[in-house]
Amino acid sequence: MIHIKNAEEIAAMRATCRLAAQTLAMIEEHVKPGVTTLHLNDICHDYIISHGATPSPLNYRGFPKSICTSINHQICHGIPSERVIREGDIINIDITTYLNGFHGDTSKTFHVGKATPKGEKVRKVALDCLNAGISVALPGVMLKTIGATIERLAKENRCSVVHEYCGHGIGREFHEEPAVLHYEDSRDRIVIRPGMIFTIEPMINLGNSAIKHMKDNWTVVTKDHSLSAQFEHTILITETGNEVLTDLDGKITKA
């Protein structure tokens, strides 16, 4: 069942999403060569706790850390560790905060030091796909339009879309209905309605879309070891359009 948020719930979602966005903005200056992903995790954990919230991923279905850090060919759910990030890497940092009973979710793929041509391309395509998906997330539009728009743009840029993971409704629960696919599914008959809040978070691969799970049972990687990038926002559907709840400055996340 898709839960349509009321005014009080929307206000609470704005607050937690703003904190998630602030955490993601805060960590950017720490993303540099020689830093471990565990160090990034600890900084984010302390920041979230200091703002009266808790990190949603911590102990969620057994996940052991407070953020997800996915490097290069890692698609999602990378576990922070003593691994050092290096010049030329790309790293996705996924932040979800739980504040006053509500979850806010956002992520961004960062360059580590100087960008490489391949890293720059996959990162730009992923961001463009997110923005394209948001642009069609409007009241009265079929939900599947988001996925169709994203997949078409990815293919135009000779990239692929991961099918196994998708966006999702969010609110009092970390993951709610609906599932927001990043590819077209003709069976999806859901119409987007005001009061819906969900994430759009396309995972874009520079190579093909095949995935593989690592032995830690969390980290997902590209089977062909091609680079993968992701950007994510939590959005509210309004009567006239949408509001990006995890956008700090009124503009879509910039590369």
Side-chain angles (χ1 to χ4, degrees), residues 34-48:
V35 171
T36 68
T37 53
L38 182 59
H39 182 60
L40 298 175
N41 174 86
D42 292 347
I43 294 171
C44 290
H45 176 92
D46 291 346
Y47 184 88
I48 292 167

Side-chain angles (χ1 to χ4, degrees), residues 208-227:
N208 65 52
S209 62
I211 71 168
K212 182 170 68 173
H213 290 84
M214 302 302 288
K215 292 181 180 179
D216 63 19
N217 294 319
W218 279 104
T219 309
V220 182
V221 300
T222 57
K223 197 168 184 179
D224 62 5
H225 278 239
S226 62
L227 293 179

Side-chain angles (χ1 to χ4, degrees), residues 4 47 59 64 136 163:
I4 302 300
Y47 184 88
N59 299 320
V136 296
H163 283 208

Side-chain angles (χ1 to χ4, degrees), residues 95-143:
I95 305 287
T96 311
T97 52
Y98 185 62
L99 178 67
N100 297 328
F102 290 85
H103 299 271
D105 197 0
T106 188
S107 84
K108 180 175 180 176
T109 298
F110 299 90
H111 292 300
V112 180
K114 186 177 180 180
T116 66
K118 287 184 178 180
E120 181 65 35
K121 177 179 178 179
V122 70
R123 191 167 173 271
K124 182 180 186 305
V125 174
L127 179 58
D128 289 346
C129 283
L130 171 64
N131 289 341
I134 292 172
S135 74
V136 296
L138 304 169
V141 173
M142 300 292 290
L143 186 67

Side-chain angles (χ1 to χ4, degrees), residues 133 136-149 180-181 184-193 196 198:
V136 296
L138 304 169
V141 173
M142 300 292 290
L143 186 67
K144 66 181 180 182
T145 305
I146 297 173
T149 301
V180 182
L181 305 182
E184 185 172 17
D185 184 346
S186 60
R187 298 168 297 178
D188 188 348
R189 309 306 300 170
I190 296 173
V191 176
I192 299 172
R193 292 183 288 157
M196 291 173 64
F198 52 79

